[in-house]
Amino acid sequence: MKCHIPVFIIVALILIASATVLSHTAFSAPPEVTFKIGAQGSYGSGISESNITYKPFGDIALNTSIMTLRAGIAENIDYQIPDGYGNYDTINTTQGKGGISLYPFKAIEVGAEYRYTKGGSGYISHDIFGEAILYLGALALEANYNTITTEYEFDGVPVTIDTKTAAGKLSFTRNDWTVEGGYEYQSIRFDTLDYDYTKNLVRLGIIPDTGRKLLLMAGAGGGGDSADYTIFSGDVGLIWKITSHLRLKGMYIISYYSAPDVNSTTSTKSGKTSASDRGSGTNPFLESSLVDQSYTSQNVTFGMYLEF
């Protein structure tokens, strides 16, 4: 963690200095510096062995009428890494990030963020995210793209993963109720495998009017992947403003993967596996005992943070 703290401090100082300078420029409102500190836990099961990851984090942001600059640092404890053949290990990682959002016109918002992560087993990740949002009255059209390159060693074998995600969303808001529909395409390639694993997903969601202190959201969707699985999913989430500074957030996601030809017998594979145990197009994150089987994946995230 010590390797990223100096970078975070430098970025924080730059942002604070920028706030001082910008406060003397002709913005419609004075710039504001906000801080966020908190922690969250995430439980996942179904695709891999059940695991809980903990994540303490801290963020800082400089907000003006035409842009937002932000930086942050986070620690992932007991983070799972796969080898692409259904085997997993856990490591600790530290992540530093920096980003910017621009508001050049009232109806347009564009942003970008870069995240650098380093951890055990030689883990290094470069994560680049970009988005654009167009507001047309009650309608909002959003498009984003994310590319991640991750490298580490698993049992002494180098592993490189390239993940690319493109998504779009259209939302409609009326009387403080929002209805949204979206599409996502994801491609994942392990250098240890000779194929790309891909997913195509659609989702319909709703955000009801629950007052200023509580934000609720829910959605359902489905799609398919390159292993010819049919995917059905649902999600619910909340953000609760407990006080003027304290926030609580939670999210639950469940997905059912229906195999194209479910085997009535249960696989009894155990131990380390290799490419010979898995067909081309298989989900590289899938535990070996579930290959060619239908299964349910669940993820629960719960966190609390202070914002001031």
Side-chain angles (χ1 to χ4, degrees):
M1 190 168 182
K2 62 181 180 181
C3 59
H4 294 299
I5 290 179
V7 176
F8 176 70
I9 293 175
I10 291 172
V11 173
L13 291 175
I14 292 174
L15 289 178
I16 294 172
S18 298
T20 303
V21 174
L22 291 172
S23 63
H24 298 288
T25 61
F27 288 107
S28 59
E32 178 184 65
V33 177
T34 59
F35 300 88
K36 185 187 296 184
I37 184 170
Q40 70 178 38
S42 180
Y43 169 80
S45 68
I47 292 181
S48 64
E49 293 183 359
S50 300
N51 185 66
I52 298 178
T53 300
Y54 303 95
K55 183 180 180 180
F57 62 89
D59 295 329
I60 181 174
L62 168 66
N63 307 286
T64 76
S65 59
I66 62 170
M67 69 176 179
T68 296
L69 294 173
R70 55 188 177 273
I73 189 168
E75 182 83 1
N76 286 293
I77 303 169
D78 291 337
Y79 179 75
Q80 282 188 321
I81 55 172
D83 65 350
Y85 304 124
N87 307 305
Y88 280 83
D89 196 3
T90 57
I91 61 172
N92 296 337
T93 68
T94 302
Q95 181 185 87
K97 66 179 181 180
I100 183 172
S101 294
L102 300 174
Y103 321 111
F105 304 99
K106 186 177 181 180
I108 297 176
E109 178 181 339
V110 294
E113 186 167 287
Y114 171 72
R115 308 179 188 103
Y116 175 80
T117 308
K118 187 176 178 64
S121 298
Y123 187 100
I124 294 177
S125 175
H126 301 277
D127 183 343
I128 301 172
F129 175 83
E131 68 175 351
I133 305 174
L134 177 64
Y135 299 99
L136 301 170
L139 292 174
L141 180 62
E142 178 180 346
N144 61 67
Y145 182 77
N146 185 210
T147 177
I148 307 173
T149 299
T150 305
E151 299 177 347
Y152 52 84
E153 287 192 358
F154 194 103
D155 283 349
V157 177
V159 177
T160 300
I161 309 172
D162 288 315
T163 304
K164 302 183 187 304
T165 306
K169 183 173 69 175
L170 177 65
S171 59
F172 175 76
T173 301
R174 185 171 184 179
N175 297 327
D176 294 324
W177 283 67
T178 299
V179 178
E180 57 188 20
Y183 167 77
E184 178 181 286
Y185 170 80
Q186 186 176 69
S187 172
I188 303 171
R189 185 172 186 86
F190 282 68
D191 68 339
T192 51
L193 305 174
D194 60 355
Y195 62 86
D196 293 340
Y197 173 72
T198 61
K199 288 196 295 186
N200 290 273
L201 300 172
V202 295
R203 177 184 178 274
L204 292 176
I206 187 170
I207 304 174
D209 178 16
T210 52
R212 295 185 177 183
K213 290 192 173 184
L214 182 63
L215 175 67
L216 296 177
M217 59 202 82
D225 67 4
S226 56
D228 293 330
Y229 275 75
T230 301
I231 305 171
F232 304 93
S233 63
D235 61 84
V236 292
L238 66 84
I239 299 177
W240 179 23
K241 186 178 179 181
I242 301 174
T243 70
S244 59
H245 299 292
L246 183 62
R247 309 284 192 277
L248 181 148
K249 63 179 181 179
M251 175 68 73
Y252 173 71
I253 303 173
I254 183 169
S255 300
Y256 178 71
Y257 288 71
S258 177
D261 184 15
V262 178
N263 193 327
S264 60
T265 60
T266 302
S267 173
T268 58
K269 294 176 183 176
S270 61
K272 302 295 183 181
T273 60
S274 63
S276 61
D277 299 308
R278 305 162 72 90
S280 178
T282 300
N283 185 340
F285 299 98
L286 184 61
E287 203 172 359
S288 298
S289 61
L290 297 174
V291 172
D292 297 329
Q293 307 292 313
S294 295
Y295 59 93
T296 300
S297 169
Q298 300 183 76
N299 184 272
V300 181
T301 301
F302 184 81
M304 187 173 291
Y305 61 92
L306 285 168
E307 188 173 39
F308 50 92

